[in-house]
Amino acid sequence: MKKYVVIIILFLLISIGLVSASLYNKNEVKKQEEIKLKTIETIKSHYNKYVETNKESIIYDDYNQKVGKIGANVQIDLEDIEIDENTKYFKISNLNYNIKYEDVKPSVDAIIDTRYKKYVVFNENIVTKDVTNFYN
């Protein structure tokens, strides 16, 4: 009779231990998932199509090597990216350089000068369909 009682007690202790370990593991997984979501939310709070540097910042190449600096309060146009918990850098649009996500904040007023994209080279001939007046 004592054997059965000892076996039942051991079985109960092992079962309780396994259930406790399983619950602890589920709580740890849940905590890790919450940390991951909070990290992604923090990174996304720094991202926008147009951002502004919040301090003098270092810019990096694709190999995360320092290549230069950019001043504070400079507006930058960023490329669209998929953000996950491992995102540390944002890609600067039209350049092969990156900037740390902590060094920028979303820009409220995007006043990025794009006049250079509409530049007409003056040593080229331009043909128009209609009579056109040029003003100085």
Side-chain angles (χ1 to χ4, degrees):
M1 188 67 156
K2 289 182 181 181
K3 269 186 179 179
Y4 293 118
V5 171
V6 170
I7 291 173
I8 291 173
I9 291 173
L10 283 174
F11 178 74
L12 287 174
L13 289 173
I14 290 171
S15 298
I16 291 171
L18 290 174
V19 168
S20 297
S22 175
L23 290 175
Y24 176 78
N25 189 29
K26 284 182 182 180
N27 285 338
E28 284 299 310
V29 169
K30 187 176 179 180
K31 284 180 186 176
Q32 292 298 325
E33 188 65 28
E34 288 173 359
I35 291 170
K36 177 181 172 182
L37 291 174
K38 189 173 183 179
T39 302
I40 292 171
E41 184 179 316
T42 301
I43 296 169
K44 283 184 177 182
S45 72
H46 288 263
Y47 180 79
N48 192 11
K49 176 73 173 156
Y50 304 104
V51 293
E52 186 175 312
T53 55
N54 53 22
K55 62 181 180 179
E56 183 176 67
S57 305
I58 297 172
I59 54 175
Y60 302 86
D61 63 10
D62 289 335
Y63 303 104
N64 299 330
Q65 300 294 319
K66 297 176 186 177
V67 293
K69 290 185 179 181
I70 190 167
N73 302 319
V74 174
Q75 290 186 335
I76 302 172
D77 186 9
L78 297 179
E79 290 186 5
D80 291 328
I81 60 168
E82 290 291 324
I83 295 175
D84 62 15
E85 73 275 8
N86 298 318
T87 302
K88 301 294 181 217
Y89 302 93
F90 294 146
K91 182 93 169 153
I92 299 173
S93 187
N94 299 323
L95 296 175
N96 288 326
Y97 300 121
N98 305 307
I99 190 164
K100 283 188 177 179
Y101 79 88
E102 297 119 341
D103 294 345
V104 295
K105 61 184 177 188
S107 180
V108 177
D109 54 337
I111 308 172
I112 296 181
D113 188 4
T114 58
R115 288 180 291 170
Y116 67 91
K117 293 180 181 178
K118 299 175 185 170
Y119 178 69
V120 176
V121 181
F122 288 110
N123 64 353
E124 298 288 327
N125 292 327
I126 300 171
V127 179
T128 61
K129 292 182 180 179
D130 298 326
V131 176
T132 305
N133 294 322
F134 289 99
Y135 299 96
N136 198 2

